[in-house]
Amino acid sequence: MPERRTVALVTLGCARNEVDSEELAGRLAADGWELVEEAADADVAVVNTCGFVEAAKKDSVDALLEANDLKDHGRTQAVVAVGCMAERYGKELAEALPEADGVLGFDDYGNISDRLRTILSGGVHAAHTPRDRRKLLPISPAERQDAAGVALPGHAQSGAEEPAVPPQDLPAGVAPASGPRAPLRRRLGSEPVASVKLASGCDRRCSFCAIPSFRGSFISRRPSDVLGETRWLAEQGVKEIMLVSENNTSYGKDLGDIRLLETLLPELAAVDGIERIRVSYLQPAEMRPGLIDVLTGTDKVAPYFDLSFQHSAPGVLRAMRRFGDTDRFLELLETIRTKAPQAGARSNFIVGFPGESESDLAELERFLGEARLDAIGVFGYSDEDGTEAASYEDKVDPDVVAERLSRVSRLAEELTAQRAAERVGETVRVLVDRTDDEDDGVVGRAAHQAPETDGVTLLTGGPDLRPGRMVEAKVVASEGVDLVAEVLSVDGTGCTEEAGR
């Protein structure tokens, strides 16, 4: 009997990439591969790259080179690049990085097992020549669901053949297909939170963003697939799911109902075992009253608003091909907080965009000063291949961009610390993420804190605070963006006396 091949998946980038990695893991496990955590213990290391900005691309290359070093003194025989950077650059990446034994695009995901076997046996799978993936689907969103032969990582593969594995023969921990061509999924961690894809791609044309060109046009997953995957995750012990895509506010437009998210959220919240639903990636220009009502008024749906503002000066926003301004954004936040005073809000911003003046920057600072955001990400502008903004002439000097980035980052740090301090005295529901007696003790997240991107809540007192427990606690202090809270009850059971022992 041949030795079972081992594979490790190394994931960089966003939560969408994490879902894609778990899809690849499910496919490989169903086809007989043994999944291992460390690349040094694997026959082949698969690096799921990020191609968003220069820093992320550098991290991806570094990860590929680090995995390649294992070939000299470990079990690893091959290193393969997948993910956004591999899809975006294809043949160009393969030629520039000969250390990678294979560069696989999204079209290769359905046959990932065969591709890895070919590479391990010394064969070559030619890297693809990148093309604009927006052109692979119909212009009309209503016609996209029936489009065949387009690889959509994290989705049912329209027209693609899946491994024909009966549910009873699947390895432990692999999600069964929810339909005849639905992807398999294998969890790569044991955290009580997991991401679920609502959609892939984006129809917006922001002048600084290359994502639509390599992720393609916007296409929603069917609600039945999202529900089925959520139920399976609950069976695996997941307590919180985070809905991800390039633009969640567009969910359902290609299914004939732009308000489909408002219908889906209560159904997801009703899944047995799920304690919290979190929605990420919301476009301010697409926020509607009904969606705000559901996000602020549905039990188990976190009143959490990950709003993609990017800037607030009207001139900069128009150059970005975006909408809104400081006052409109503040009005949106006020509408949200009127309905849910403790609602969380976060956003990312770009400084130094071509044509940005000092008065534009001052307008952004005015917005940040009044917005009371819980988390703020600040990025300095840099040209991205294939974007409209790369061709703009009125570029800001790189030294000025760096100075503005430092200035706004300091302001963001101060403002988010102030916002955390405002929450002292609030009662919050916290999901326990981890326990570490030698470090932070018990670490969890309140409703306004998403994993990885936002702060955490450090819990004191309370019995048996193991990961996955939902805790009610009173905020007693803040440390930067983090909160310190005293446990009042665990899973609805009062524990004040035990906590005080």
Side-chain angles (χ1 to χ4, degrees):
M1 184 176 179
E3 181 183 3
R4 195 177 190 191
R5 292 294 197 178
T6 57
V7 59
L9 286 118
V10 180
T11 306
L12 294 94
C14 65
R16 300 185 294 274
N17 255 17
E18 293 172 5
V19 176
D20 293 349
S21 285
E22 293 195 347
E23 175 195 344
L24 292 174
R27 292 174 181 273
L28 290 166
D31 207 27
W33 290 74
E34 179 182 350
L35 297 165
V36 296
E37 291 186 11
E38 301 296 331
D41 300 328
D43 295 316
V44 56
V46 177
V47 180
N48 193 348
T49 61
C50 178
F52 180 40
V53 293
E54 286 302 320
K57 287 183 278 190
K58 181 181 183 302
D59 288 344
S60 295
V61 170
D62 290 345
L64 287 163
L65 293 174
E66 182 178 342
N68 182 69
D69 289 342
L70 298 173
K71 292 191 289 188
D72 295 331
H73 52 266
R75 173 170 178 162
T76 309
Q77 301 172 44
V79 175
V80 175
V82 299
C84 290
M85 188 176 180
E87 174 63 38
R88 184 176 181 183
Y89 295 103
K91 184 179 180 181
E92 180 183 344
L93 177 62
E95 293 173 349
L97 196 69
E99 292 84 353
D101 299 285
V103 175
L104 305 182
F106 296 156
D107 291 337
D108 294 306
Y109 282 21
N111 299 300
I112 185 68
S113 184
D114 289 342
R115 300 289 186 265
L116 296 189
R117 286 197 182 99
T118 296
I119 292 168
L120 276 177
S121 66
V124 176
H125 180 71
H128 66 286
T129 299
R131 75 278 198 207
D132 189 337
R133 292 186 66 86
R134 290 171 292 191
K135 298 178 181 179
L136 301 182
L137 290 166
I139 293 176
S140 169
E143 298 174 1
R144 292 175 190 165
Q145 289 289 326
D146 296 325
V150 178
L152 299 169
H155 287 237
Q157 301 293 299
S158 300
E161 292 298 326
E162 299 293 332
V165 182
Q168 65 270 20
D169 295 338
L170 289 173
V174 178
S178 59
R181 293 186 176 86
L184 303 170
R185 180 172 179 174
R186 169 74 173 264
R187 292 211 71 201
L188 294 175
S190 58
E191 299 84 0
V193 58
S195 296
V196 173
K197 271 198 178 183
L198 272 185
S200 281
C202 185
D203 288 342
R204 302 185 72 86
R205 295 295 179 264
C206 300
S207 61
F208 56 84
C209 184
I211 288 176
S213 66
F214 57 86
R215 275 287 183 179
S217 298
F218 185 90
I219 186 165
S220 304
R221 292 182 70 195
R222 295 190 178 277
S224 58
D225 290 339
V226 178
L227 277 164
E229 187 167 317
T230 299
R231 293 188 183 104
W232 176 79
L233 287 168
E235 292 170 358
Q236 304 299 306
V238 170
K239 298 300 180 182
E240 175 182 328
I241 64 165
M242 185 165 70
L243 301 178
V244 299
S245 75
E246 279 72 21
N247 178 11
N248 281 335
T249 38
S250 283
Y251 179 69
K253 71 175 187 178
D254 51 323
L255 294 171
D257 186 358
I258 190 61
R259 295 178 177 82
L260 193 56
L261 184 56
E262 288 94 305
T263 303
L264 179 60
L265 283 171
E267 295 184 62
L268 293 171
V271 172
D272 189 36
I274 296 297
E275 296 294 334
R276 178 183 288 159
I277 309 291
R278 186 184 303 278
V279 185
S280 60
Y281 305 111
L282 301 170
Q283 286 290 343
E286 297 180 23
M287 291 300 295
R288 46 196 178 268
L291 180 56
I292 294 174
D293 288 342
V294 171
L295 288 170
T296 57
T298 305
D299 186 38
K300 295 188 178 180
V301 174
Y304 176 80
F305 293 81
D306 177 12
L307 295 159
S308 178
F309 290 126
Q310 301 300 342
H311 211 284
S312 73
V316 175
L317 286 168
R318 301 306 173 268
M320 290 179 169
R321 298 206 178 279
R322 297 178 66 85
F323 306 94
D325 54 46
T326 295
D327 293 333
R328 291 183 190 180
F329 292 163
L330 291 175
E331 182 180 348
L332 172 60
L333 290 169
E334 178 62 25
T335 298
I336 290 167
R337 289 171 176 145
T338 297
K339 296 176 180 294
Q342 289 186 228
R346 77 169 324 276
S347 192
N348 294 323
F349 299 88
I350 298 172
V351 297
F353 192 79
E356 181 190 61
S357 65
E358 278 295 330
S359 62
D360 291 329
L361 192 69
E363 183 68 1
L364 173 59
E365 291 173 322
R366 178 173 82 88
F367 171 68
L368 293 176
E370 298 182 34
R372 297 168 58 232
L373 298 174
D374 293 280
I376 299 171
V378 187
F379 301 88
Y381 173 81
S382 62
D383 287 339
E384 279 296 312
D385 298 335
T387 63
E388 180 184 353
S391 66
Y392 288 179
E393 296 182 355
D394 194 11
K395 298 285 173 56
V396 179
D397 184 273
D399 290 338
V400 176
V401 174
E403 186 278 327
R404 291 178 181 180
L405 174 62
S406 176
R407 169 176 151 189
V408 177
S409 295
R410 288 195 303 270
L411 175 63
E413 185 175 350
E414 294 172 4
L415 292 171
T416 52
Q418 290 174 16
R419 178 63 182 133
E422 290 177 11
R423 292 191 178 275
V424 173
E426 291 183 356
T427 297
V428 293
R429 283 181 59 77
V430 179
L431 178 68
V432 177
D433 275 345
R434 65 182 187 274
T435 58
D436 187 349
D437 293 334
E438 296 181 0
D439 190 10
D440 296 323
V442 179
V443 181
R445 291 173 296 101
H448 69 282
Q449 296 169 323
E452 306 297 336
T453 58
D454 305 335
V456 299
T457 297
L458 310 177
L459 293 169
T460 62
D464 191 23
L465 296 183
R466 61 181 182 272
R469 299 299 295 269
M470 188 66 78
V471 172
E472 187 174 89
K474 183 176 182 179
V475 181
V476 296
S478 63
E479 299 176 357
V481 296
D482 299 332
L483 304 179
V484 179
E486 293 181 350
V487 175
L488 301 176
S489 64
V490 179
D491 290 344
T493 302
C495 60
T496 305
E497 292 182 3
E498 293 184 58
R501 291 177 186 172

